[in-house]
Amino acid sequence: MERGGRTVLDGLDFEIASGSITGLLGPSGCGKSTLMRAVVGVQDNVKGDLVVLGEPAGAADLRQRIGYVTQAASVYPDLTATENLRFFAAVVGADADAVARALRAVDLDARGDQLVRDMSGGQRSRVSLAVALLATPTLLVLDEPTVGLDPVLRVELWRLFRSLADDGVTLLVSSHVMDEAEHCDALLLMRDGALVADTTPERLKWETGCDTVESAFLEVVR
Amino acid sequence: MTPRVTLAVTARVLTQLRRDHRTLALLLVMPCLLMTLLAWIFADSDSGVFDRVAPGLLALFPFIVMFLVTSVTTLRERTSGTLERLLAMPMGRLDLILGYALAFGVVACAQAALAVALSVGALGLDIAGSVWLLGAIAVLDAVLGTALGLFVSAFARTEFQAVQFLPALVIPQMLLCGLLVARDQLPRALELVSDVLPLSYAVDAMTAVCRGDATWDIASDIGLVAAFVVGFVALGALTLRRRTP
């Protein structure tokens, strides 16, 4: 995939298992977001074969089955959390209970009537995440969902991701915080638009002889 | 196209607008203030001048105001990431555009009702035709501004650029629409240009109602403006790209 004459992603070859959490890790600017946009089907100029849930990426009926959360909170700041969720629920055709359910899942049920612009950064990104949970997607693509969140909340969100995976949802989660990799079943490590490893947290640590994913990652990319 | 989704967009845009008291006040009050200013300018002139100029401006003000509001609002949706999110969802492109057009159409109705009522009432605009038709055309002109704004926002990356489309696309139409010089007295080349500009027909329709022309003559002007609206809405939907660089 190219942008402005520069190759952003090059020669990527990977598969992710359904019902698992795959972590997409790498330094910022390495192409994680671009890869996620390609999977969701909103990235232009993608060459090669990218099959998502058995269909070419971007196919119309995939839009019903994929939940996508961008890095910046993509919700309306001048609406309340509930109003945002009601609107997106109407778009995806989710039922009336879905709004309350999604708010509860991100621990914002007490803040439903607050305007998003009056919320903290972490709360905003949770509203944005709640939108993706409205339609119970088959594949959930989350671009840095825990950035800027406090440790307690991060642990809770990873617990939520795990329970979603246990229900059969496939998650692709990007992060540049390496310790989050411990929560994943599989890892894709990226650098400069290329895949440097397609592995699991245990195998990565075993192969490099490091005891944290962070030091293992540094070992691999050096 | 899904009516449920279209109406959800309309309801959302109206809720956002309701929260923004200042914009709402400007939308509703500004055309009235401008008409009042116009009447005042001609207060000491021959009484026929206001009657001659006012219908054109009654078409122009809602067009300009709605053009600006729409292009900036939709651009904001593009830059905030919500547009990308919506297009990654099962949302028809036409649903989004029509949802916006409907929401601003509702505002346009209120805006036109106030401006027309004030002009015909307190400002003493003399019209030979139907006031209701005058109001309906003012709404159509506002919707025309909305449709053009929706289309144009596709070509702007920033709000700065979007605002610059006003002198680029709207002022030439103002100069050529027959307000300054009657269209049939323009140099031939300019007359031909004015024949393909939507605002020309919007102003023609307004002027014809005030003159009390036969409804059939006005109908063709209204039909042309409506065709431009449909064209811009369709173009706006086409320029919404699901895949972006």
Side-chain angles (χ1 to χ4, degrees), chain A residues 66-77:
Chain A
I66 299 181
Y68 171 43
V69 183
T70 49
Q71 214 164 338
S74 302
V75 285
Y76 300 96

Side-chain angles (χ1 to χ4, degrees), chain A residues 87 90-93, chain B residues 1-11 86 90-92 95-96 99:
Chain A
F87 167 64
V91 173
V92 296
Chain B
M1 225 196 88
T2 326
R4 182 197 75 228
V5 178
T6 312
L7 293 176
V9 174
T10 305
L86 286 174
M91 144 147 314
D95 285 325
L96 186 69

Side-chain angles (χ1 to χ4, degrees), chain B residues 122-192:
Chain B
L123 302 179
L125 173 64
D126 234 350
I127 61 162
S130 141
V131 183
W132 293 106
L133 195 54
L134 195 70
I137 298 172
V139 171
L140 186 64
D141 293 342
V143 174
L144 178 69
T146 296
L148 186 61
L150 283 170
F151 172 51
V152 160
S153 76
F155 300 99
R157 287 274 173 85
T158 64
E159 292 177 14
F160 262 148
Q161 291 177 3
V163 172
Q164 292 305 317
F165 278 119
L166 183 75
L169 293 176
V170 173
I171 294 186
Q173 294 199 60
M174 283 168 59
L175 297 177
L176 294 173
C177 71
L179 266 179
L180 294 180
V181 176
R183 291 206 294 126
D184 53 12
Q185 284 160 35
L186 286 167
R188 183 70 186 140
L190 290 181
E191 190 189 343
L192 289 175

Side-chain angles (χ1 to χ4, degrees), chain A residues 20-186:
Chain A
S20 70
I21 305 180
T22 302
L24 183 58
L25 304 179
S28 69
C30 72
K32 299 188 295 287
S33 298
T34 309
L35 177 60
M36 296 191 129
R37 285 171 45 91
V39 170
V40 175
V42 294
Q43 180 64 51
D44 211 359
N45 298 326
V46 179
K47 299 188 182 86
D49 298 318
L50 182 54
V51 177
V52 180
L53 306 175
E55 306 213 27
D61 68 301
L62 282 179
R63 283 178 217 134
Q64 195 83 59
R65 300 161 65 198
I66 299 181
Y68 171 43
V69 183
T70 49
Q71 214 164 338
S74 302
V75 285
Y76 300 96
D78 45 357
L79 295 182
T80 66
T82 308
E83 284 167 349
N84 266 292
L85 288 171
R86 281 212 191 107
F87 167 64
F88 285 109
V91 173
V92 296
D95 56 71
D97 303 337
V99 171
R101 224 173 26 234
L103 268 181
R104 215 172 313 121
V106 295
D107 197 23
L108 280 178
D109 31 358
R111 305 238 171 217
D113 294 330
Q114 196 175 346
L115 288 181
V116 170
R117 68 163 168 242
D118 296 335
M119 290 182 166
S120 73
Q123 290 168 335
R124 282 182 209 195
S125 42
R126 277 187 283 158
V127 177
S128 193
L129 177 63
V131 172
L133 302 176
L134 284 169
T136 42
T138 320
L139 170 65
L140 202 47
V141 179
L142 308 172
D143 198 350
E144 309 245 0
T146 56
V147 74
L149 298 186
D150 62 76
V152 179
L153 204 57
R154 260 165 54 185
V155 169
E156 276 172 25
L157 277 186
W158 278 104
R159 204 171 288 152
L160 170 68
F161 298 161
R162 176 54 63 194
S163 77
L164 287 169
D166 289 344
D167 292 341
V169 179
T170 307
L171 289 95
L172 180 61
V173 186
S174 77
S175 178
H176 64 265
V177 186
M178 296 299 156
D179 59 359
E180 298 203 316
E182 308 281 356
H183 300 283
C184 301
D185 302 311

Side-chain angles (χ1 to χ4, degrees), chain A residues 63, chain B residues 83-89 91 93 240-242:
Chain A
R63 283 178 217 134
Chain B
L83 183 68
E84 174 165 304
R85 168 166 240 167
L86 286 174
L87 291 178
M89 285 180 168
M91 144 147 314
R93 294 182 291 178
L240 276 185
R241 308 226 71 99
R242 286 195 197 268

